[in-house]
Amino acid sequence: MSIFETTDRAAAYQRELQEFMDSFVYPAEPIYAQQMREAGDPHFHPPVLEDLKREAKSRGLWNLFHPHPEWGPGLTNLEYAPLAEMMGRSLLAPEACNCSAPDTGNMELFTLFGTDEHKAKYLKPLLQGTIRSAFAMTEPAVASSDATNIELRMERAGDEYVLNGRKWFASNALHKNCRVLIVMGKTDPQAAPHRQQSMMVVPLDAPGVTIVRNLPVFGYAGREGHAEISFDNVRVPTKDVLGGEGQGFAISQARLGPGRIHHAMRIVGVAERALELMCSRALSRRTFGAPLSDRANIQDWIAEARINIDMARLLTLQAAHLMDTVGNKQARIEIAAIKVAAPMMAVEIIDRAIQVHGGGGVTDDFPLAMMYAQIRALRLADGPDEVHKRAIARIELRKRQPRGDRTDSSRL
């Protein structure tokens, strides 16, 4: 029996989700595009999304990601993986099922570290899909791939902290329903490097919080936005520190592990759809008296895409299985590996699908250009490829060091 064999309840969710995708999500895509065009606002919240959310809720396809049965179906990572892949095939499906980033990670943080007040004020409406949230960690002035570089100051002043600094790439902050930020900053510059940071809950409309601009990605504004945000003497009550002062770095690692695997699962779905588009185009277009599908190089691209998608999927399932059975810490190599492998795989397939589509591939007549922009950006989000490769290499080298030399492995 394969360790990746589908459970009965996972199979039932897959059938239900496939029906939802075929009957509602895919038909809604042109409606979504029309509503966005007519609104003339890149951050407009199209009514069709609310229609999809109501349908998903009625079918029990809601909060599928959440590991706690009181908030969702309580699926394992391995059970959720195929569902995330299916949702990844459409821009609309993750939000329709309340399974989109960064809310998934933020909901887990509120569940694990939030106070009763946080859970009532933010977690409950996030779980209900009535508000959205953003995560503010990356900064423009420092290399934020090393979280110890973060400079936004969080200075204690009685029963409050005063926040000053600037963040950017706060994804989702321009969503019309965004109401709250989780902000990482520096509370004690004199502490040990991994104890200097804290995370705080900050309402988006708090005095001193200003959205400076949206950051387009390859020219795409993105409906949820990637915001640059300034914090000018923003006062945050001490009760809004998540997990206690100095716990920011540890909490960030707890958040990013599941987030990385969710991204990888969805990326496999994106790559599958890009391959389908490539094949359809290759079969329907003729050059020099023959269909593109007859060309040897196109056949190579298609075959390589099939191979690489399946390899990435298996690696993702392996990571999910290990997270379920031995925990996120013990699965850190596999989590880092899929974070590198999945976007690299998908970017190559999307690029080749664009090539097969010719000039049309770089236009908005097809979804490929937007796919490319989104997936290429994921080679930087949640840590660039190089950071994850460095982590994997250090672990591998540590395994092979003489036992007496292992204390020096942190310098690698």
Side-chain angles (χ1 to χ4, degrees):
M1 182 179 73
S2 168
I3 61 171
F4 301 145
E5 185 171 342
T6 303
T7 64
D8 289 342
R9 70 169 178 173
Y13 275 107
Q14 288 177 37
R15 290 192 295 271
E16 187 66 37
L17 181 58
Q18 189 63 60
E19 166 63 23
F20 176 59
M21 298 288 292
D22 291 340
S23 299
F24 294 92
V25 174
Y26 296 132
E29 289 179 339
I31 300 171
Y32 171 89
Q34 180 181 352
Q35 289 179 352
M36 289 298 296
R37 283 194 304 269
E38 291 175 351
D41 175 2
H43 307 298
F44 178 67
H45 185 65
V48 69
L49 265 174
E50 293 300 320
D51 296 339
L52 290 174
K53 287 163 66 175
R54 282 190 292 272
E55 183 64 29
K57 274 187 180 179
S58 72
R59 291 170 172 259
L61 299 172
W62 193 254
N63 294 336
L64 297 172
F65 75 96
H66 210 295
H68 301 284
E70 65 268 34
W71 302 120
L75 300 174
T76 66
N77 285 295
L78 190 57
E79 289 174 319
Y80 178 60
L83 303 176
E85 178 182 333
M86 293 166 70
M87 288 185 283
R89 293 173 56 90
S90 173
L91 181 68
L92 309 184
E95 184 168 358
C97 296
N98 213 38
C99 291
S100 53
D103 290 330
T104 52
N106 289 345
M107 283 188 259
E108 291 193 20
L109 288 192
F110 281 126
T111 300
L112 294 172
F113 305 105
T115 64
D116 289 342
E117 181 182 349
H118 293 147
K119 291 175 181 177
K121 189 173 182 180
Y122 299 119
L123 177 59
K124 186 176 180 180
L126 280 168
L127 288 164
Q128 293 171 338
T130 56
I131 70 168
R132 298 292 302 271
S133 63
F135 185 65
M137 180 175 175
T138 306
E139 297 182 3
V142 296
S144 301
S145 57
D146 178 359
T148 62
N149 283 337
I150 284 171
E151 293 180 338
L152 182 138
R153 290 304 310 274
M154 297 173 158
E155 296 178 306
R156 184 72 178 260
D159 292 335
E160 296 178 316
Y161 287 87
V162 181
L163 277 55
N164 282 285
R166 188 168 291 237
K167 297 289 184 179
W168 70 348
F169 288 101
S171 300
N172 216 41
L174 286 150
H175 192 290
K176 296 296 186 184
N177 295 337
C178 187
R179 298 292 181 270
V180 63
L181 307 169
I182 294 179
V183 183
M184 184 164 170
K186 189 163 288 189
T187 43
D188 185 0
Q190 306 308 315
H194 296 93
R195 295 279 300 175
Q196 296 178 4
Q197 304 81 21
S198 299
M199 283 195 189
M200 299 186 187
V201 179
V202 182
L204 189 60
D205 61 358
V209 174
T210 302
I211 295 182
V212 178
R213 58 172 175 153
N214 180 51
L215 296 160
V217 175
F218 289 103
Y220 286 98
R223 185 172 53 84
E224 300 89 349
H226 301 286
E228 182 172 351
I229 306 175
S230 70
F231 296 80
D232 183 12
N233 291 321
V234 178
R235 307 190 79 86
V236 178
T238 55
K239 63 182 177 62
D240 287 332
V241 179
L242 280 180
E245 184 175 310
Q247 295 299 311
F249 187 87
I251 292 173
S252 72
Q253 298 310 299
R255 182 190 187 280
L256 292 174
R260 287 166 183 154
I261 195 167
H262 292 174
H263 276 316
M265 295 167 180
R266 287 189 293 266
I267 288 167
V268 172
V270 174
E272 282 283 9
R273 194 163 187 190
L275 174 57
E276 290 178 7
L277 291 167
M278 187 195 312
C279 291
S280 296
R281 187 75 167 185
L283 288 165
S284 65
R285 305 292 273 196
R286 297 177 65 86
T287 62
F288 307 105
L292 286 174
S293 57
D294 284 357
R295 309 299 177 196
N297 66 315
I298 304 297
Q299 292 180 3
D300 281 350
W301 290 355
I302 292 169
E304 289 166 6
R306 175 78 279 140
I307 293 165
N308 292 333
I309 289 172
D310 288 350
M311 287 195 296
R313 179 185 291 111
L314 285 170
L315 183 58
T316 303
L317 292 173
Q318 170 74 353
H321 169 70
L322 290 173
M323 291 170 72
D324 291 335
T325 55
V326 297
N328 295 0
K329 185 175 181 180
Q330 295 302 315
R332 61 192 184 278
I333 288 182
E334 288 75 15
I335 292 171
I338 60 170
K339 178 59 180 66
V340 175
M344 287 183 63
M345 170 274 296
V347 163
E348 180 180 65
I349 292 170
I350 296 167
D351 183 73
R352 288 175 168 179
I354 289 172
Q355 198 71 11
V356 171
H357 279 70
V362 298
T363 72
D364 288 341
D365 286 7
F366 300 92
L368 292 165
M370 182 174 287
M371 283 182 183
Y372 183 92
Q374 291 174 332
I375 303 303
R376 180 61 182 84
L378 288 178
R379 292 188 58 194
L380 295 166
D382 289 350
D385 292 354
E386 292 73 20
V387 168
H388 300 294
K389 289 178 183 178
R390 176 176 181 266
I392 294 169
R394 291 175 69 179
I395 293 170
E396 290 298 312
L397 289 167
R398 191 175 298 130
K399 291 177 186 176
R400 290 156 180 81
Q401 279 184 297
R403 184 171 298 274
D405 294 338
R406 290 190 179 185
T407 55
D408 296 330
S409 62
S410 61
R411 299 174 188 165
L412 293 170

